[in-house]
Amino acid sequence: MSEDDRNRWDRRWAEQKDLPRSVPSWVAELESEIPRAGRGLDVAAGSGRMAVFLARRGLEMTAVDISPVGLALCREAGRDEGLTVKTLVRDLEAEGLPDGPWNVIACFHYRQPDLFQHLDRALSPGGVVIAEVETKRALERHPQRPGARWLAEPNELLHITKGLEIVYYREGWIGERSLARIIARRIA
């Protein structure tokens, strides 16, 4: 990503007021599928909603994002709950994922296909990936945003998690958003 992207995200996070702290309801419904111990990675973590949720469950969390402002919000959210979340400012396009293996990898609203293709190798045996991305069908209702580059092809999450056991998958219109959601496990 460019320095302009980093600055744009820093501005966006600095302007945020009421940041969501609770985990998405679909993840809460499936939390029995998510490990409670080990190492966790929140990819493109932003303000760290998933990182804090996973730390609360007992995982040793690392949140990675291009925005130092977003990651400062993540650390603050963790401290508010007496949790420690390690943060790492990183350009995932240039540097890829931090070294694993990871027991949980969360990735919400960030799409980088070449990165996703390596998730299975970054997971420890029995580890899970939890992801939610917007799909190209979003352009049917919202043609100007976000850019097509950031939108998943139909069933893309199923293809990039090949070799993993699919625990949960849903794709389609959820409210006003066209989303793909997945929880997939590396077979032990």
Side-chain angles (χ1 to χ4, degrees):
M1 294 188 126
S2 70
E3 191 64 29
D4 287 342
D5 289 324
R6 181 187 314 265
N7 292 333
R8 181 173 50 86
W9 280 108
D10 281 346
R11 279 191 307 276
R12 183 173 175 179
W13 289 120
E15 294 168 359
Q16 291 292 315
K17 296 298 176 221
D18 299 313
L19 291 168
R21 297 286 178 131
S22 61
V23 67
S25 60
W26 72 273
V27 175
E29 291 170 12
L30 295 161
E31 75 174 289
S32 64
E33 302 291 345
I34 303 168
R36 289 191 168 275
R39 296 176 68 218
L41 177 67
D42 189 357
V43 174
S47 65
R49 174 169 67 157
M50 287 301 297
V52 171
F53 164 73
L54 293 166
R56 197 181 305 130
R57 291 179 55 79
L59 286 129
E60 179 186 321
M61 287 304 301
T62 299
V64 61
D65 197 278
I66 196 166
S67 171
V69 174
L71 292 174
L73 293 170
C74 175
R75 287 190 305 276
E76 179 182 320
R79 276 194 302 270
D80 287 350
E81 294 193 36
L83 304 167
T84 300
V85 177
K86 178 183 171 188
T87 58
L88 179 61
V89 175
R90 189 176 189 117
D91 181 345
L92 293 165
E93 289 183 342
E95 301 173 78
L97 291 174
D99 291 337
W102 305 97
N103 299 90
V104 177
I105 299 174
C107 184
F108 280 66
H109 304 287
Y110 178 74
R111 175 184 177 261
Q112 184 182 332
D114 64 317
L115 182 85
F116 283 10
Q117 293 171 358
H118 302 291
L119 291 181
D120 61 335
R121 289 178 284 202
L123 287 171
S124 61
V128 300
V129 61
I130 310 163
E132 178 178 273
V133 295
E134 200 154 6
T135 70
K136 288 198 173 180
R137 289 197 60 206
L139 297 173
E140 295 170 11
R141 295 186 190 171
H142 311 287
Q144 52 289 64
R145 71 171 231 303
R149 170 184 180 214
W150 304 107
L151 302 174
E153 297 290 342
N155 297 313
E156 182 175 313
L157 288 183
L158 289 174
H159 297 300
I160 59 177
T161 55
K162 207 178 281 188
L164 300 179
E165 171 191 21
I166 305 301
V167 174
Y168 170 85
Y169 186 77
R170 178 168 180 206
E171 184 171 326
W173 287 101
I174 301 168
E176 281 298 307
R177 300 182 77 185
S178 177
L179 299 170
R181 296 171 168 171
I182 195 165
I183 296 178
R185 177 178 291 111
R186 181 174 174 197
I187 298 169

